């Protein structure tokens, strides 16, 4: 039986496909390629299609014996979600509704779901635990939390078993150097810093330096994309063995400020990387750090790339060798 990966041509999706293939899983990938890259899918059977298209999904579930779904397909930019909230409800919540309706009709009852730290909003304490208050501060977080809840009610009513993985800041690239991060436009801190190192941008703009942190810049928990990928495989195994729905944070448990990230990039790349402080970005909490004790305890998750240095090196290896990413935009 196969694992269906929606959004498998995206950043975290493509690394998870690589992880599944390394475990000899049979993989079917669906991506509409709006933001994904065909070249990032290293194996399995690929379909270009949209999960909002029920006929397309019915065909797919008829063609392949699907055991479980790993669901990445979504819009995922906080700032954009504030500008076009309805499109986030459509791409995230409505699309997931179509997907799980099709799954249930075809008797598929296991889903691993890509959720986010954005479900918490301004945290009530750090490190953040799964039981802490979830009060999203933007439509992106709202739609992901609504999806989590929809899955939970679908479990109550129809026995759909789901594991929601709430990621903190995904970073880095596959150690083989074949796949990595390539967004258009790029909004994430580490790739933007590395574009400055490559001379593709003049400077890194620091969004605010008067936060209540040691150096005044925001603190985030950066987690290597391959560690996220391994957590998806473990979540799948957990559903196979225990079959209980659950939710897990995925982070390193260590926070780094924007300035520390820039300093690390200077050390790793040997480049100067000019910086300039600009005004704050709306909706950025000062500190986001995960407690991932639950994932370590229950999923037996063992993140391998703890050091920010190591994460940065793998990202640099990708960006240096692929200055134009996949070159398809
Ligand atoms: N950030 C920044 N300059 C940039 C991009 C991001 O100072 O050009 C900061 C941002 O305010 C946040 C951190 O870097 O505190 C990580 O931002 P990113 O967009 O990578 O991830 P997010 O935390 O929004 O998921």
């Amino acid at each position: 039986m196969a694992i269906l990966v929606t959004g498998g041509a995206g950043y975290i999706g493509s690394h998870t496909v690589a992880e599944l293939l390394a475990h000899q899983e049979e993989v079917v990938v669906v991506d509409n390629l709006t933001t994904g890259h065909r070249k990032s899918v290293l194996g399995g059977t690929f379909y270009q299609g949209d999960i909002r298209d029920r006929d397309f999904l019915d065909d797919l579930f008829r063609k392949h014996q699907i055991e479980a779904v790993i669901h990445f397909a979504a819009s995922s930019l906080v700032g954009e979600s504030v500008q076009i909230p309805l499109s986030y409800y459509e791409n995230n919540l409505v699309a997931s509704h179509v997907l799980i309706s099709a799954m249930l009709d075809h008797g598929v009852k296991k889903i691993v779901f890509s959720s986010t730290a954005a479900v918490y909003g301004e945290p009530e304490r750090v490190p953040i635990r799964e039981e802490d208050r979830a009060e999203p501060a933007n439509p992106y977080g709202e739609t992901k939390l609504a999806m989590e809840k929809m899955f939970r009610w679908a479990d109550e009513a129809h026995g759909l078993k789901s594991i929601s993985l709430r990621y903190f800041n995904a970073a880095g690239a596959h150690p083989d150097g074949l796949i990595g991060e390539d967004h258009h436009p790029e909004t994430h801190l580490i790739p933007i810093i590395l574009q400055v190192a490559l001379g593709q941008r003049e400077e890194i703009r620091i969004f605010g330096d008067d936060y209540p942190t040691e150096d005044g810049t925001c603190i985030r928990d950066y987690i290597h994309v391959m560690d996220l990928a391994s957590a998806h495989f473990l979540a799948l195994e957990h559903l196979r063995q225990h079959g209980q729905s659950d939710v897990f944070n995925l982070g390193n448990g260590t926070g780094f400020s924007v300035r520390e990230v820039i300093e690390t990039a200077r050390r790793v790349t040997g480049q100067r990387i000019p910086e300039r402080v600009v005004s704050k970005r709306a909706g950025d909490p000062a500190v986001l750090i995960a407690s991932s004790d639950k994932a370590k305890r229950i999923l037996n998750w063992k993140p391998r790339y703890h050091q920010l240095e190591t994460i940065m090196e793998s990202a640099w290896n990708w960006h240096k060798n692929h200055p134009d990413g996949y070159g398809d935009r």
Side-chain angles (χ1 to χ4, degrees):
M1 288 184 93
I3 306 303
L4 171 63
V5 183
T6 74
Y11 173 42
I12 305 170
S14 59
H15 287 76
T16 301
V17 169
E19 176 78 5
L20 292 170
L21 294 170
H23 286 276
Q24 278 79 48
E25 296 285 348
E26 187 186 339
V27 181
V28 176
V29 176
V30 166
D31 200 298
N32 65 9
L33 298 181
T34 307
T35 54
H37 307 276
R38 178 65 186 87
K39 282 190 220 159
S40 73
V41 182
L42 297 179
T45 309
F46 180 82
Y47 292 93
Q48 181 172 358
D50 199 298
I51 58 164
R52 287 167 299 185
D53 180 346
R54 179 62 202 253
D55 293 339
F56 165 68
L57 286 183
D58 281 336
D59 263 3
L60 199 117
F61 282 112
R62 273 194 290 266
K63 241 184 243 152
H64 297 273
Q65 283 258 315
I66 303 294
E67 176 198 356
V69 176
I70 304 186
H71 179 33
F72 295 98
S75 300
S76 62
L77 297 176
V78 168
E80 185 185 66
S81 79
V82 180
Q83 306 300 319
I84 46 169
L86 297 186
S87 131
Y88 272 65
Y89 277 86
E90 162 86 21
N91 288 339
N92 295 357
L93 193 55
V94 174
S96 299
H97 172 266
V98 178
L99 173 68
I100 62 169
S101 308
M103 283 174 64
L104 291 172
D105 285 349
H106 293 271
V108 181
K109 293 200 170 178
K110 294 189 193 81
I111 185 164
V112 177
F113 165 59
S114 118
S115 188
T116 167
V119 300
Y120 294 108
E122 189 67 51
E124 50 182 336
R125 60 173 174 174
V126 284
I128 303 172
R129 296 187 175 277
E130 289 80 355
E131 64 272 21
D132 289 356
R133 186 189 57 213
E135 215 169 88
N138 51 64
Y140 169 58
E142 281 298 356
T143 57
K144 289 277 174 167
L145 186 59
M147 290 152 81
E148 284 191 12
K149 290 181 178 173
M150 179 167 68
F151 295 145
R152 226 172 298 151
W153 288 114
D155 185 6
E156 291 279 322
H158 311 295
L160 176 82
K161 300 298 173 191
S162 70
I163 293 208
S164 298
L165 300 175
R166 295 175 174 168
Y167 323 142
F168 283 64
N169 289 64
H174 197 287
D176 288 357
L178 293 175
I179 54 177
E181 189 166 8
D182 181 13
H183 296 114
H184 293 267
E186 190 52 76
T187 63
H188 297 105
L189 181 65
I190 291 180
I192 291 183
I193 293 173
L194 296 179
Q195 287 174 353
V196 180
L198 283 170
Q200 295 174 334
R201 292 178 191 250
E202 272 179 23
E203 60 190 10
I204 174 71
R205 296 181 307 145
I206 299 175
F207 296 150
D209 68 348
D210 58 353
Y211 283 95
T213 60
E214 206 160 298
D215 66 19
T217 64
C218 284
I219 293 179
R220 292 289 180 273
D221 182 337
Y222 296 89
I223 178 78
H224 196 283
V225 66
M226 287 313 295
D227 285 331
L228 291 181
S230 74
H232 287 78
F233 177 69
L234 292 170
L236 175 68
E237 289 282 79
H238 184 77
L239 281 179
R240 282 170 170 160
Q241 284 155 24
H242 306 282
Q244 288 309 311
S245 294
D246 215 334
V247 37
F248 298 96
N249 286 340
L250 297 178
N252 253 321
T254 315
F256 293 94
S257 72
V258 173
R259 283 219 158 93
E260 286 174 323
V261 176
I262 298 171
E263 272 312 317
T264 306
R266 287 181 179 135
R267 273 198 307 278
V268 166
T269 64
Q271 301 294 314
R272 209 165 56 81
I273 312 185
E275 63 181 53
R276 179 161 62 97
V277 177
V278 298
S279 49
K280 287 180 178 167
R281 190 170 67 174
D284 263 344
V287 181
L288 286 177
I289 300 173
S291 162
S292 303
D293 293 350
K294 188 177 167 191
K296 288 177 185 153
R297 200 176 64 245
I298 296 178
L299 298 179
N300 198 23
W301 183 51
K302 296 188 181 82
R304 292 170 56 201
Y305 306 91
H306 293 289
Q307 308 296 328
L308 183 60
E309 208 99 16
T310 321
I311 295 176
M312 190 68 76
E313 277 161 9
S314 78
W316 180 232
N317 182 45
W318 159 257
H319 286 283
K320 205 173 44 187
N321 293 313
H322 303 86
D324 299 316
Y326 292 99
D328 56 1
R329 291 287 192 281

